Amino acid sequence: MTSTSPARQRPTPEQLVPYLKERVYVSFIGLAVLLGLNAHASDTEPLTAVTSLLIAAVGAGSAGLVSDIIAHLGVHGHLPKAAEFAGLVRVSSGALATVVLPVVVLVLAVVGWIPVETALAVAIAIMALTLGAVGYLAVFRSSLRWWAKLAVFFALLVFGLAVILVQLLAHG
């Protein structure tokens, strides 16, 4: 006889939505920061690149946590209970996982193993591929018809590029 505690149950699709949403959001922010740094790669110190990416990711995760608390308060009329708050913190902090590999690559530049220009290019590729893979999996796992999947995926690519361009304009 096996018993499954509530903590070990698989999350429902509805419970996974905030995790995925927050990771996509942090990925966009991280990609914009990396692209902004890459525009001045020859003047960018590797440690500055690492700290900028980490600060942006922590800032985005923190903003997500605060917005979730505000939304909870506004919708439910009370602050999240301890278990709810712990779940919100898990979602927000889990989004930091999206920058782990780019940070590792940038740390290679900090220790002098690769040039910062190379590290930024690889980190950008990782973030872009991550966003593309998440979008691809989301669209092609859907129950849409094949032509609708292609249309939605193309639209997401266009909107994703627009988001990145707007963020680049904002970050110079």
Side-chain angles (χ1 to χ4, degrees), residues 10-171:
R10 293 181 62 107
T12 66
E14 292 77 25
Q15 292 169 325
L16 290 175
V17 168
Y19 286 96
L20 185 57
K21 181 186 76 153
E22 194 70 20
R23 288 176 185 225
V24 168
Y25 182 63
V26 170
S27 294
F28 270 120
I29 297 293
L31 184 56
V33 166
L34 291 170
L35 288 168
L37 290 168
N38 193 53
H40 310 285
S42 61
D43 298 326
T44 301
E45 292 294 323
L47 189 56
T48 300
V50 171
T51 56
S52 295
L53 181 58
L54 285 172
I55 289 168
V58 169
S62 299
L65 176 61
V66 170
S67 68
D68 285 341
I69 292 169
I70 292 169
H72 189 280
L73 182 60
V75 170
H76 299 289
H78 60 83
L79 290 170
K81 294 182 176 37
E84 294 167 325
F85 182 73
L88 297 178
V89 170
R90 265 192 312 278
V91 168
S92 297
S93 60
L96 297 176
T98 61
V99 298
V100 169
L101 198 50
V103 165
V104 168
V105 171
L106 293 171
V107 167
L108 295 177
V110 171
V111 298
W113 289 4
I114 60 175
V116 68
E117 295 86 356
T118 303
L120 285 168
V122 171
I124 287 167
I126 290 167
M127 296 298 281
L129 287 171
T130 298
L131 280 168
V134 168
Y136 177 86
L137 290 172
V139 169
F140 287 93
R141 285 189 63 205
S142 73
S143 60
L144 298 171
R145 294 194 166 153
W146 70 266
W147 54 268
K149 289 179 183 183
L150 287 177
V152 168
F153 186 67
F154 179 73
L156 288 175
L157 286 176
V158 170
F159 284 126
L161 289 173
V163 166
I164 291 165
L165 288 175
V166 168
Q167 289 178 333
L168 280 174
L169 289 173
H171 291 75

